[in-house]
Amino acid sequence: MLLGHNRKKMLGAECMADMLRDYGVTHVFHVPAVLRTTFAEMERRTDIKRLHVHGEKAAAYMADGYARASGKPGICMAQVIGALNLAAGLRDAWLAHAPVIAMTGGREPKTKFRKVYQEIDDMPAFEPVTKFNATVDDVARFPDMVRQAFRTAVTGCPGPVHLQFRGNEGQIDAEETDMEPLIEPQFAKVPAFRPEPDAASVRAALKILQDANRPAIVAGGGVRASGAGAELVALAEALQIPVATSLNGKDCIPGNHPLAVGVVGTYSRESANRVVNAADLVCFIGTETGGMTTHFWAAPKIGTPAIQIDIEPQALGRNYPLLAAVNGDAKVTLARMRNGADRNGAAKRKNWIAEVQTICGSWRDKYQPALTSDAVPIRPERLCRELTRHMPDDAVVVVDTGHAGMWMGGMFDLTSPRQSYMRSAGHLGWAFPAGLGAKCACPERPVVTFTGDAGFWYHIAEVETAARWNINAVTVVNNNGGGNQSKRGFDRVYGGKQTDKARELWTFSKIDFARIAGDMGAIGIRVEQASAFPAALAQALAADRPVVIDVVTEIEALAPTAVV
Ligand SMILES: Cc1ncc(C[n+]2csc(CCOP(=O)(O)OP(=O)(O)O)c2C)c(N)n1
Ligand SMILES: [Mg+2]
């Protein structure tokens, strides 16, 4: 079909509604009022659910969770006064490379600089958190700009996009002109393309990998975005290579796989850091090799022989000088390497694999007492172990940052390749709304979110949204009555021992979140004994309602810091 052959007179709103429907959008997360005419047309022309939520940041996080769970762009919207709140919410999607499309109202050329109510120039605020940040000033541009937004969000290394529509509420959508609401199905989902690697570069990388005596793989979010977990595991098995993951790539290999050594870096597991630091070659796949994944380039140390595979050429060698670099899609590249692999060479790594298993075993032994502790208040390690043991095998696990990221990154294991794991890229409070967005994207899968109490407070109002829209996610709150990741830092600045008054810097009132959730229309379950958690989780998963499980945990428990 040639572009422009089926143009007809239509409203911008009609065009937008048709295009979102045809791209397969099922949910839009917004705070009114923006693109009002579009919302009315969505009701007339589509089945898209229009979720009116309690804050623009939560709308962005829901869209982000939706995007990371499905690979489809998540859509969030705000009028001009809410635009910066929405931009703040794109920051995590930017860091995590999630395809989120943000739409906001913007300025009228006729009135800008005249002190219009609520108006500033919002465009610069979107610049650092988007791949593409553009204004739509003429209604005739709706089709090509919406296509550009989808195309940019899902291609290459995915990421957020912002479109600002003319009018503080984007009233340009009520204007009419000749348009064709054509969409490109290829750009409805990540990955849009699977770029083939250059064959010679694959051969060179494979030779180096096969020749290594003590290699380790570090797999990141690029492997998850490419859906390359099975190919990763197949290559690791064929060549007998241990696999560490970044926090963003945790679901690339189940934690109970014999070659899985855990999450490497800062929010990590000791065994992963030790294995990566004992390796004579590190193969990075789909990871930015950033500070978090490498514990500020201490695991592995810069200078460790390395090879790297990435879809983004600029990532290759950014932090570690490389013996070989491969530019291509992770799934295609790993399959190529697996097909070319010489399995016979794997036997020479028998001693290395035995050493790796000893390292993993000693981690298990060291943490066994905490993982099985019956202490009251509950130890977070025990909570993680119960989640490992009772997580449904097709669950989407959504995890906040801070101690939540450390506890779950280090102590929790995925036990099935069908489970997904998504984590905050650093923003406290991301997980609860992101979990709701993930449940919107995958209503048939159980969604279990893990957050601290400080993280949960941020967007607690969205319990009402979950109840109103029947978003039946399960949220587990590790409730210790404070932001206790901050404890260590305050101990330090107080010279080792805080004053009693210092605790006002990081503790809250003791709150029963189960009661609040119940009052807001969800189901609330309070757990005070570790042994009661499995039944609470089973009840929550079986409930046809959103559930908050409030777990009363030990405020003095500190997650282990990274070992190098
Ligand atoms: C937006 C944002 N602000 C501040 C922080 C710094 N921060 C990291 S963890 C944390 C406290 C976390 O408390 P909680 O969620 O209760 O988890 P806990 O450490 O108590 O287990 C804070 C304030 C952050 N990561 N993100
Ligand atoms: Mg806390």
Side-chain angles (χ1 to χ4, degrees), residues 378-524:
I378 298 168
R379 290 290 310 189
E381 297 92 327
R382 172 73 190 271
L383 177 55
C384 292
R385 174 170 175 271
E386 295 307 324
L387 285 165
T388 299
R389 292 175 63 184
H390 301 288
M391 192 63 72
D393 72 357
D394 59 343
V396 181
V397 184
V398 183
V399 181
D400 215 49
T401 192
H403 261 162
M406 295 174 83
W407 291 126
M408 287 292 277
M411 303 289 165
F412 169 78
D413 274 320
L414 297 158
T415 54
S416 158
R418 293 171 60 218
Q419 291 168 333
S420 306
Y421 189 95
M422 299 156 28
R423 60 81 174 105
S424 163
H427 294 85
L428 194 67
W430 172 87
F432 172 54
L436 300 183
K439 185 67 182 175
C440 291
C442 306
E444 71 296 345
R445 291 177 68 183
V447 172
V448 179
T449 297
F450 183 102
T451 175
D453 51 318
F456 189 54
W457 276 121
Y458 268 81
H459 304 107
I460 194 167
E462 306 305 341
V463 172
E464 187 277 334
T465 304
R468 182 163 34 94
W469 280 94
N470 283 312
I471 308 171
N472 300 331
V474 176
T475 304
V476 178
V477 185
N478 172 28
N479 184 5
N480 52 21
N484 90 315
Q485 197 195 35
S486 304
K487 180 180 183 302
R488 227 181 233 125
F490 285 119
D491 283 345
R492 197 173 53 240
V493 296
Y494 277 91
K497 188 162 171 19
Q498 292 179 40
T499 59
D500 286 346
K501 198 166 162 49
R503 287 172 87 90
E504 73 190 23
L505 296 170
W506 58 276
T507 60
F508 300 126
S509 322
K510 289 202 159 66
I511 293 289
D512 181 342
F513 289 114
R515 224 176 66 198
I516 296 179
D519 285 349
M520 292 172 82
I523 293 174

Side-chain angles (χ1 to χ4, degrees), residues 243-547:
V243 179
T245 71
S246 71
L247 205 50
N248 199 19
K250 187 171 164 83
D251 60 5
C252 297
I253 181 167
N256 59 357
H257 190 284
L259 291 169
V261 300
V263 172
V264 67
T266 304
Y267 291 1
S268 59
R269 181 178 292 184
E270 183 174 333
S271 50
N273 285 12
R274 287 180 61 195
V275 166
V276 166
N277 267 340
D280 64 359
L281 175 83
V282 174
C283 173
F284 295 108
I285 310 171
T287 164
E288 295 185 300
T289 66
M292 185 58 133
T293 299
T294 60
H295 194 46
F296 293 87
W297 311 286
K301 292 181 181 48
I302 290 177
T304 304
I307 61 177
Q308 191 171 354
I309 299 160
D310 211 282
I311 196 166
E312 177 65 62
Q314 293 168 20
L316 297 167
R318 179 182 283 127
N319 291 319
Y320 292 87
L322 301 176
L323 298 173
V326 183
N327 180 216
D329 170 64
K331 191 180 177 85
V332 173
T333 305
L334 288 165
R336 288 282 149 77
M337 290 173 83
R338 161 76 185 70
N339 290 342
D342 173 12
R343 285 168 167 275
N344 298 325
K348 72 173 177 216
R349 287 187 277 276
K350 225 170 141 205
N351 290 344
W352 168 231
I353 293 300
E355 186 181 330
V356 165
Q357 272 154 9
T358 305
I359 291 172
C360 292
S362 59
W363 175 82
R364 239 171 258 117
D365 294 345
K366 181 171 169 184
Y367 286 98
Q368 194 65 10
L371 289 162
T372 55
S373 166
D374 289 324
V376 179
I378 298 168
R379 290 290 310 189
E381 297 92 327
R382 172 73 190 271
L383 177 55
C384 292
R385 174 170 175 271
E386 295 307 324
L387 285 165
T388 299
R389 292 175 63 184
H390 301 288
M391 192 63 72
D393 72 357
D394 59 343
V396 181
V397 184
V398 183
V399 181
D400 215 49
T401 192
H403 261 162
M406 295 174 83
W407 291 126
M408 287 292 277
M411 303 289 165
F412 169 78
D413 274 320
L414 297 158
T415 54
S416 158
R418 293 171 60 218
Q419 291 168 333
S420 306
Y421 189 95
M422 299 156 28
R423 60 81 174 105
S424 163
H427 294 85
L428 194 67
W430 172 87
F432 172 54
L436 300 183
K439 185 67 182 175
C440 291
C442 306
E444 71 296 345
R445 291 177 68 183
V447 172
V448 179
T449 297
F450 183 102
T451 175
D453 51 318
F456 189 54
W457 276 121
Y458 268 81
H459 304 107
I460 194 167
E462 306 305 341
V463 172
E464 187 277 334
T465 304
R468 182 163 34 94
W469 280 94
N470 283 312
I471 308 171
N472 300 331
V474 176
T475 304
V476 178
V477 185
N478 172 28
N479 184 5
N480 52 21
N484 90 315
Q485 197 195 35
S486 304
K487 180 180 183 302
R488 227 181 233 125
F490 285 119
D491 283 345
R492 197 173 53 240
V493 296
Y494 277 91
K497 188 162 171 19
Q498 292 179 40
T499 59
D500 286 346
K501 198 166 162 49
R503 287 172 87 90
E504 73 190 23
L505 296 170
W506 58 276
T507 60
F508 300 126
S509 322
K510 289 202 159 66
I511 293 289
D512 181 342
F513 289 114
R515 224 176 66 198
I516 296 179
D519 285 349
M520 292 172 82
I523 293 174
I525 308 173
R526 186 141 163 115
V527 173
E528 295 177 341
Q529 307 266 347
S531 56
F533 185 78
L537 183 64
Q539 182 193 338
L541 290 166
D544 222 6
R545 297 293 298 152
V547 181

